[in-house]
Amino acid sequence: MAAAGAEAPGGEGWRAAPRTVPCPPGKLPKPGKPGRNARAGRRATRRDIAFRATDTAAPRRAPRAPPCPRPLTLLAARPARCPQSLPAPGPCEARPAPSAAVPRTRRPSPRRRPAQKPHPSRPLFGGTRVATADPCAPRAWCVPCLVSLDTLQELCRKEKLTCKSIGITKRNLNNYEVEYLCDYKVVKDMEYYLVKWKGWPDSTNTWEPLQNLKCPLLLQQFSNDKHNYLSQVKKGKAITLKENHRALKPAVAEYIVKKAKQRIALQRWQDELNRRKTHKGMIFVENTVDLEGPPSDFYYINEYKPAPGISLVNEATFGCSCTDCFFEKCCPAEAGVLLAYNKNQQIKIPPGTPIYECNSRCQCGPDCPNRIVQKGTQYSLCIFRTSNGCGWGVKTLVKIKRMSFVMEYVGEVITSEEAERRGQLYDNKGITYLFDLDYESDEFTVDAARYGNVSHFVNHSCDPNLQVFNVFIDNLDTRLPRIALFSTRTINAGEELTFDYQMKGSGDVSSDSIDHSPAKKRARTVCKCGAVTCRGYLN
């Protein structure tokens, strides 16, 4: 048996030293025929010459046992166990501390140790290795988690683990909170609902009597989803269905669960959008039309994202020294144009006139009346699912006065050549997200297909309520103006926001909308705006 503080035999790359009987002082061992044990002893002696000096100075740390695979049943990526939730190390995970009083019985072999197989909880792709305080301890991998917080909580509760970083502690490990309702039935004149518990896997769903449920909002949502589904079925089949009051049909329960999961996904997306935004106005998301969830390939940004090879110089070269930008020679006057706003923060210049706002080098403060677009959206807007087949749209939740700044159009800044290539792909898919920056030249284009803000979801209309203006603030390069959208009239709360996709910063309609030459050879996208002046196509 190995001494205390040493590893158990069998470690990879280790071999036990031969046992020898110590001789009394003054006596030599009797010579004999060298056998197998003696030859092994000589080999061990030669092998241990390199370690003799260090072993006599201080005992070496006991070697680490090879990692023991843990059976993890995770999703796409296997996140490492949380440090707070690690149980006591098992025999194959123990790394005993060395003891000076116990001699070493084994030493590492000088031969090259074979490469260890990767630990199942360590990712084989990407990530960053983080060194720990203990130089002999293994370094941990820090990788982005690919699963949601609720999924991690479900895994922790399933394995009876605690993790403070995801909100699972000993106090709430066994807490039960209703996440949504899955099904309904009546047994012996008592109503029961199948409950999905928040942070628990579906296998723990239970039937609970109505009297035990203190969640009126979830009950109302369950009832609304049931009636919406039944009304859609009746409308589609044009027949009268007798509703079973004793239990729900599987199709109805399946729709209710999908709707509940969609509602949770949209709420998470809404929270993410509001975390990423830098403007004052709040962003809301709703879908009462279908089961479409958040877009899977869209990233919210607040300003232009230059493509590789494109440089955006966001630093002004000069600024004003005004104390009152209304009455003194301010930035617009230096650029040879008029001040764009009145005292009510409404635009007063005609479409096609550029806007020059005060920049970071100006001595005026943040309350300057010539700082409007740079403050971002001030209105609460809602991304909603349209019922006319136009996909997502944007509506205002508050009243917007005419000639007021509403939002900025941002996206990825690309070259015109790249825009031509992407435009053909977008036309074949029936989508349009390209906006040419053609204030003076036509070198760059804004593509809001993957990167953008709320304006990504604003639909087209041939009779829009938003107007496009070119804006210059810190970047005074006339090839790269910022695109601002101002209201053309009073927009009431709940009304959808639209702008003309063919509208240029000059205020004119692009010739692409009326160019039917066969040289373009692009698929044309049908316009669904429904306006009296509809041109019929978006491109």
Side-chain angles (χ1 to χ4, degrees):
M1 180 178 293
E7 279 190 320
E12 186 179 3
W14 296 80
R15 183 177 299 177
R19 295 185 179 182
T20 57
V21 179
C23 297
K27 293 185 179 182
L28 298 176
K30 295 180 180 181
K33 184 178 180 180
R36 180 176 180 182
N37 292 338
R39 289 194 298 271
R42 284 197 297 270
R43 287 197 301 270
T45 304
R46 289 193 298 268
R47 184 170 63 246
D48 297 337
I49 291 175
F51 302 94
R52 188 169 297 166
T54 57
D55 285 351
T56 55
R60 293 175 59 82
R61 179 179 292 274
R64 225 175 354 111
C68 179
R70 299 193 192 102
L72 296 178
T73 56
L74 299 184
L75 299 181
R78 297 177 175 177
R81 278 185 171 181
C82 179
Q84 292 90 340
S85 61
L86 284 175
C92 61
E93 295 176 302
R95 189 172 64 253
S99 175
V102 180
R104 291 298 305 270
T105 59
R106 288 173 288 153
R107 297 184 180 92
S109 172
R111 294 177 297 175
R112 182 182 298 274
R113 299 182 62 182
Q116 293 185 355
K117 296 182 178 180
H119 196 283
S121 64
R122 295 174 185 169
L124 302 180
F125 51 89
T128 304
R129 298 195 77 175
V130 180
T132 57
D134 186 357
C136 298
R139 289 185 290 180
W141 282 91
C142 292
V143 296
C145 189
L146 302 181
V147 297
S148 64
L149 178 63
D150 290 344
T151 303
L152 292 176
Q153 291 178 346
E154 291 177 5
L155 291 172
C156 280
R157 287 195 166 100
K158 185 177 180 179
E159 300 295 335
K160 303 297 183 182
L161 302 175
T162 60
C163 180
K164 294 181 180 180
S165 62
I166 63 174
I168 301 297
T169 61
K170 292 183 178 179
R171 290 186 176 182
N172 63 11
L173 180 61
N174 295 319
N175 285 2
Y176 290 85
E177 178 185 352
V178 179
E179 187 172 16
Y180 57 86
L181 305 176
C182 307
D183 205 346
Y184 169 85
K185 67 180 181 181
V186 177
V187 178
K188 295 182 180 180
D189 297 332
M190 183 174 290
E191 297 180 282
Y192 288 87
Y193 287 88
L194 183 60
V195 176
K196 167 64 172 67
W197 301 105
K198 186 175 182 179
W200 291 87
D202 293 339
S203 58
T204 60
N205 294 357
T206 58
W207 288 94
E208 299 294 334
L210 176 60
Q211 60 187 8
N212 291 351
L213 299 177
K214 309 299 181 183
C215 48
L217 179 60
L218 296 180
L219 290 169
Q220 184 62 41
Q221 291 176 350
F222 183 92
S223 178
N224 293 340
D225 294 340
K226 180 183 68 172
H227 288 299
N228 289 339
Y229 178 81
L230 294 176
S231 62
Q232 293 175 8
V233 172
K234 293 177 182 179
K235 183 179 180 180
K237 294 185 177 180
I239 59 176
T240 303
L241 298 178
K242 293 183 179 180
E243 185 178 348
N244 186 2
H245 296 282
R246 309 295 297 181
L248 294 181
K249 292 184 178 181
V252 181
E254 182 181 0
Y255 172 83
I256 292 175
V257 171
K258 289 182 178 179
K259 197 66 181 176
K261 291 182 178 180
Q262 178 209 47
R263 193 177 292 112
I264 294 174
L266 293 180
Q267 181 63 44
R268 291 174 182 165
W269 184 41
Q270 174 180 303
D271 296 340
E272 179 185 358
L273 294 179
N274 285 284
R275 283 194 301 267
R276 292 182 178 273
K277 72 174 181 65
T278 57
H279 51 78
K280 177 181 177 181
M282 296 295 295
I283 303 175
F284 297 88
V285 180
E286 70 175 30
N287 184 354
T288 59
V289 176
D290 53 28
L291 294 174
E292 185 72 18
S296 58
D297 194 22
F298 174 73
Y299 306 93
Y300 194 93
I301 58 176
N302 295 284
E303 56 187 10
Y304 282 163
K305 175 183 175 61
I310 298 178
S311 177
L312 298 180
V313 181
N314 290 322
E315 184 177 357
T317 56
F318 66 92
C320 70
S321 57
C322 305
T323 56
D324 190 343
C325 294
F326 266 122
F327 303 101
E328 300 183 36
K329 189 176 181 180
C330 192
C331 298
E334 294 289 344
V337 296
L338 298 176
L339 184 68
Y341 311 112
N342 59 23
K343 291 187 177 181
N344 296 325
Q345 299 183 350
Q346 295 172 303
I347 195 166
K348 63 180 183 179
I349 59 177
T353 306
I355 300 173
Y356 281 85
E357 291 194 356
C358 294
N359 53 59
S360 57
R361 287 188 176 271
C362 296
Q363 298 183 9
C364 54
D367 297 330
C368 172
N370 195 31
R371 298 180 184 268
I372 302 298
V373 174
Q374 57 194 269
K375 292 182 179 179
T377 301
Q378 302 295 304
Y379 305 102
S380 294
L381 305 176
C382 178
I383 302 173
F384 74 105
R385 196 72 176 174
T386 61
S387 58
N388 59 354
C390 293
W392 294 102
V394 179
K395 62 183 178 181
T396 176
L397 301 180
V398 295
K399 183 179 179 180
I400 301 177
K401 296 181 179 180
R402 64 184 300 270
M403 302 302 177
S404 299
F405 170 69
V406 179
M407 69 180 71
E408 187 176 356
Y409 194 90
V410 301
E412 183 182 9
V413 179
I414 59 177
T415 61
S416 298
E417 292 77 11
E418 176 65 15
E420 184 68 22
R421 186 189 68 83
R422 296 187 186 184
Q424 295 181 2
L425 300 176
Y426 295 161
D427 289 343
N428 294 331
K429 296 180 181 179
I431 58 177
T432 304
Y433 293 105
L434 300 177
F435 200 110
D436 294 332
L437 301 179
D438 50 6
Y439 172 67
E440 279 194 354
S441 61
D442 194 9
E443 297 184 30
F444 301 105
T445 299
V446 177
D447 183 7
R450 295 188 63 198
Y451 301 93
N453 58 2
V454 183
S455 62
H456 167 95
F457 303 97
V458 176
N459 284 319
H460 161 84
S461 176
C462 297
D463 184 20
N465 51 20
L466 299 179
Q467 174 66 46
V468 176
F469 283 86
N470 292 305
V471 184
F472 298 94
I473 306 177
D474 283 323
N475 189 347
L476 301 179
D477 189 346
T478 55
R479 302 173 304 168
L480 295 166
R482 294 167 66 167
I483 305 301
L485 300 175
F486 287 78
S487 60
T488 59
R489 56 176 176 82
T490 300
I491 306 175
N492 297 320
E495 188 175 349
E496 183 178 2
L497 303 176
T498 59
F499 73 94
D500 193 339
Y501 285 1
Q502 300 298 334
M503 185 69 65
K504 293 184 176 182
S506 60
D508 299 329
V509 177
S510 172
S511 58
D512 292 344
S513 61
I514 57 177
D515 188 358
H516 304 288
S517 61
K520 287 191 175 292
K521 295 182 180 180
R522 283 189 177 183
R524 308 204 70 189
T525 304
V526 178
C527 180
K528 302 178 181 179
C529 69
V532 178
T533 58
C534 180
R535 296 188 297 267
Y537 295 94
L538 271 67
N539 55 350

